[in-house]
């Protein structure tokens, strides 16, 4: 099933670097909260698995230290944290085109025809943004496109004031 273009949202002006930066700072706080919650859940699951005897980590050490000493478990834990943070952005970008920070700054990520980006495109945007460094291309771009915009065939637009 192909998504229908939303021509009311197509053609809106692209967001400036400063507007994106404002939304990114706001969203970084939310992403940190997601990261912290995912960390707590991950450590709780690891502790439970260790308690049940399904996972063996170094004994007589703190859980966080034991986690550091097991490269495989540590890698899985880090992957879990990455999935949670990328999932946070991808969920909101693909559902509404906006995170909470983007709503506050009246920004929206979309395809140029106004349609929402797919979850796969949202995940790709996360990685292509290079932890936000992809936005620096905006300072050199006359089209107001960041690296992640160019590589995902999408744009961040400034919504009209209500």
């Amino acid at each position: 099933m192909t998504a229908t273009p939303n021509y009311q949202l197509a053609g809106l002006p692209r967001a400036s670097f400063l507007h994106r930066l404002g939304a990114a700072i706001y969203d970084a706080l939310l992403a940190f909260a997601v990261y912290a919650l995912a960390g707590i859940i991950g450590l709780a699951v690891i502790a439970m698995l260790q308690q049940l005897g399904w996972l063996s980590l170094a004994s007589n050490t703190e859980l966080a230290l034991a986690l550091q000493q097991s490269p495989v478990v540590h890698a899985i834990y880090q992957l879990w944290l990455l999935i949670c943070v990328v999932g946070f952005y991808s969920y909101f970008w693909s559902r509404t085109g906006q995170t909470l920070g983007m709503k506050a700054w009246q920004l929206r990520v979309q395809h140029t025809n106004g349609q929402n980006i797919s979850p796969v495109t949202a995940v790709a945007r996360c990685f292509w943004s290079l932890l936000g460094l992809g936005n620096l291309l905006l300072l050199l771009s006359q089209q107001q496109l960041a690296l992640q915009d160019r590589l995902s065939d999408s744009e961040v637009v400034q919504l009209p004031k209500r």
Side-chain angles (χ1 to χ4, degrees):
M1 181 170 120
T2 305
T4 309
N6 186 340
Y7 295 110
Q8 291 177 328
L9 295 172
L12 290 173
R14 292 190 174 132
S16 70
F17 177 78
L18 290 177
H19 282 104
R20 286 184 187 219
L21 181 62
I25 290 169
Y26 196 112
D27 284 335
L29 296 172
L30 294 170
F32 180 75
V34 168
Y35 180 86
L37 181 61
I40 291 168
I41 292 169
L43 287 176
V45 168
I46 290 169
M48 183 184 69
L49 293 175
Q50 191 174 16
Q51 200 70 350
L52 291 171
W54 295 355
L55 181 65
S56 178
L57 295 175
S59 59
N60 297 330
T61 59
E62 289 184 27
L63 183 58
L65 183 60
L67 182 64
Q68 294 288 332
Q69 295 172 352
S70 175
V72 172
V73 177
H74 184 258
I76 292 169
Y77 177 71
Q78 293 298 320
L79 181 62
W80 161 252
L81 295 174
L82 180 68
I83 288 169
C84 289
V85 173
V86 169
F88 161 76
Y89 284 104
S90 299
Y91 175 80
F92 287 103
W93 285 344
S94 62
R95 298 261 312 176
T96 64
Q98 296 178 294
T99 57
L100 196 55
M102 294 175 82
K103 281 184 182 186
W105 284 85
Q106 296 180 327
L107 304 180
R108 184 179 194 289
V109 64
Q110 63 185 21
H111 287 293
T112 54
N113 66 1
Q115 123 189 16
N116 285 350
I117 62 174
S118 71
V120 172
T121 301
V123 169
R125 279 186 64 85
C126 285
F127 289 104
W128 288 328
S129 74
L130 306 174
L131 297 174
L133 293 176
N135 287 318
L136 293 176
L137 188 60
L138 281 167
L139 299 173
L140 304 172
S141 172
Q142 291 182 349
Q143 297 88 16
Q144 291 290 88
L145 292 171
L147 179 65
Q148 61 271 22
D149 299 332
R150 292 175 190 272
L151 295 175
S152 65
D153 192 32
S154 61
E155 63 183 354
V156 177
V157 295
Q158 182 73 52
L159 296 172
K161 295 189 181 194
R162 296 175 193 167

